Structures are given as structure tokens and as C-alpha cells.
């Protein structure tokens, strides 16, 4: 299917996975990474009529964009960063978790960036031959709320934009937080790694990899 944003035509796949998860009524966490087109996921959801908030850092992160990326790519692909402040919650907001849980319990959607090292709770894991710190707090929220967790990827090829929603993650149960994270985070990290390998020129945080 196609979704027409204010400025772009975006091809969307897997929307049925999202709709089914939303219809379950327990809320949905949409997980993506720092790709140049990731804001388009937020926009597609918004224009489809779904109430969504995005969890973002308090300041923009310009990992390895380069002069070309900062001048031309970022302004074109990330326009939502300066729009609809009510649709975002900052990581440094003391009520961040409360706002996320409230949105999920009302059946809404929350978008998070898995590769956000500024999150309050992170875990260092092997990644792309090095190591990286990944967000983990959202898994604890999913464990307590029973919400769905759906990986999503937005890519850009010239003037063509695509957003793909994958099937909900089959979360493995565990009695403790650490066990739950250890059981489920590697699946998401593996998915992110496959995306980066497929679209290496579109992933931002290359300079943040640790040896």
C-alpha cells in the first residue's frame, strides 16, 4: 500500500501486522533504529490516524552524517523532529516511563530507537564486529503491560521511501527483568544488525561502535 505524507509518497508493507496488534487493545511499541528515514515511521502512523508518541533524546544526535548529510539529508528526512512536540517524550523527562505506559494502556502506540545509548537503561552487546549499547527499558514496560513489540524499518532509495512493519516479536517469558531482557533483546539486535548490513549507508551511529 501507499501512504501520502505532506511531502512524500511512502510505500508501506506489513501494515496488517500493526493493525492486528493495535486491535488487540494492549498498545504497541514500534522499535526501529537511527536510520535517516526513521521519522517517516512516526509520520505514517500519525497520518493513518493512530495516536503515537516518539521517545527521543533531549538533543539531536548527528552521528557521522557528514556535511552532505547534515545539509541535505537530515532536513529532508527528519522534518518531524521540530513538529508536534506533544507527540514526543524526552528521555530526560522524569515522567517518561509514566507517559509511555499511559499511552500503551490507552491502546496507543509508542516508537522507540533501539540504538539509543542515551537511554536510562542500556545493555552492551556484540554488534557488527564491535559492541554497542542498546535500550532495554522498553522491554521491561512490555513485560508489565503485555503490549505488542513490532520492529519497523524505513529506507530511502533516491526519491522512493519505504516503511516496513514486521510481525510482532514473540516475547519469551521470564520471571526477572534481567532474564526477560536477555531472552528477548538479542532477537531485536539481530534484526537491527541485518538492517544495517543491508542498508549500511542509511544507519547514522557508525562512529558510536565500540571495539
Amino acid at each position: 500500500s501507499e501512504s501520502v505524507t505532506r511531502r512524500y509518497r511512502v510505500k508501506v508493507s506489513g501494515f496488517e501486522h500493526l493493525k492486528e496488534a493495535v486491535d488487540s487493545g494492549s498498545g504497541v511499541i514500534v522499535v526501529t533504529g537511527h536510520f535517516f528515514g526513521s521519522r517517516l515511521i512516526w509520520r505514517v502512523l500519525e497520518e493513518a490516524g493512530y495516536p503515537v508518541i516518539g521517545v527521543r533524546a533531549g538533543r539531536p544526535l548527528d552521528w557521522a552524517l557528514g556535511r552532505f548529510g547534515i545539509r541535505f539529508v537530515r532536513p529532508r528526512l527528519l522534518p518531524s523532529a521540530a513538529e508536534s512536540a506533544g507527540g514526543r517524550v524526552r528521555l530526560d523527562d522524569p515522567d517518561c516511563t509514566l507517559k509511555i505506559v499511559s499511552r500503551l494502556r490507552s491502546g496507543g502506540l509508542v516508537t522507540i530507537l533501539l540504538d539509543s545509548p542515551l537511554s536510562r537503561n542500556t545493555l552492551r552487546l556484540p554488534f557488527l564486529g564491535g559492541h554497542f549499547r542498546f535500550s532495554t527499558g522498553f522491554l521491561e514496560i512490555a513485560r508489565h503491560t503485555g503490549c505488542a513489540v513490532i520492529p519497523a524499518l524505513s529506507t530511502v532509495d533516491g526519491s522512493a521511501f519505504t516503511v516496513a512493519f514486521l510481525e510482532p516479536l514473540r516475547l519469551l517469558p521470564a520471571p526477572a527483568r534481567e532474564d526477560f531482557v536477555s531472552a528477548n533483546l538479542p532477537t531485536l539486535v539481530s534484526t537491527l544488525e541485518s538492517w544495517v548490513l543491508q542498508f549500511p549507508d542509511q544507519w547514522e551511529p557508525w562512529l558510536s561502535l565500540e571495539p
Side-chain angles (χ1 to χ4, degrees):
S1 63
E2 290 188 345
S3 172
V4 181
T5 68
R6 295 184 184 93
R7 296 178 59 186
Y8 309 112
R9 184 175 297 275
V10 183
K11 291 185 178 180
V12 181
S13 64
F15 207 79
E16 68 276 9
H17 303 315
L18 180 76
K19 186 177 185 304
E20 183 177 353
V22 171
D23 289 345
S24 71
S26 297
V28 179
I29 294 178
V30 178
V31 181
T32 187
H34 279 90
F35 291 88
F36 291 138
S38 62
R39 296 285 181 180
L40 291 174
I41 297 173
W42 187 90
R43 181 164 288 192
V44 165
L45 295 173
E46 180 190 46
E47 296 190 7
Y50 288 108
V52 57
I53 57 174
V55 182
R56 296 293 182 264
R59 55 183 175 82
L61 300 175
D62 291 328
W63 285 308
L65 284 179
R67 286 178 296 177
F68 180 85
I70 292 174
R71 182 176 179 184
F72 296 106
V73 180
R74 190 173 185 272
R76 287 178 60 83
L77 299 186
L78 309 182
S80 298
E83 297 175 3
S84 300
R88 291 181 289 137
V89 58
R90 291 169 41 149
L91 288 170
D92 56 0
D93 184 340
D95 293 326
C96 178
T97 300
L98 180 62
K99 291 178 180 179
I100 292 172
V101 171
S102 177
R103 178 56 58 97
L104 293 171
R105 286 182 172 168
S106 67
L109 288 84
V110 177
T111 63
I112 72 102
L113 297 169
L114 180 64
D115 51 0
S116 177
L118 297 182
S119 297
R120 296 176 184 174
N121 300 297
T122 63
L123 182 64
R124 186 174 182 264
L125 292 176
F127 186 67
L128 295 172
H131 289 81
F132 200 91
R133 290 196 171 276
F134 296 94
S135 301
T136 62
F138 72 96
L139 284 173
E140 177 70 358
I141 292 174
R143 176 170 170 258
H144 283 292
T145 64
C147 71
V149 176
I150 292 184
L153 172 67
S154 179
T155 57
V156 183
D157 182 8
S159 60
F161 300 82
T162 63
V163 172
F165 296 99
L166 278 61
E167 293 185 13
L169 186 68
R170 296 181 181 275
L171 296 172
L172 301 175
R177 177 190 182 279
E178 293 78 9
D179 295 334
F180 188 79
V181 170
S182 297
N184 294 291
L185 185 61
T187 300
L188 286 168
V189 170
S190 178
T191 299
L192 177 65
E193 187 172 51
S194 70
W195 289 344
V196 176
L197 291 173
Q198 189 174 0
F199 305 100
D201 59 329
Q202 299 191 43
W203 189 60
E204 298 177 35
W206 279 107
L207 294 184
S208 294
L209 278 176
E210 303 171 0

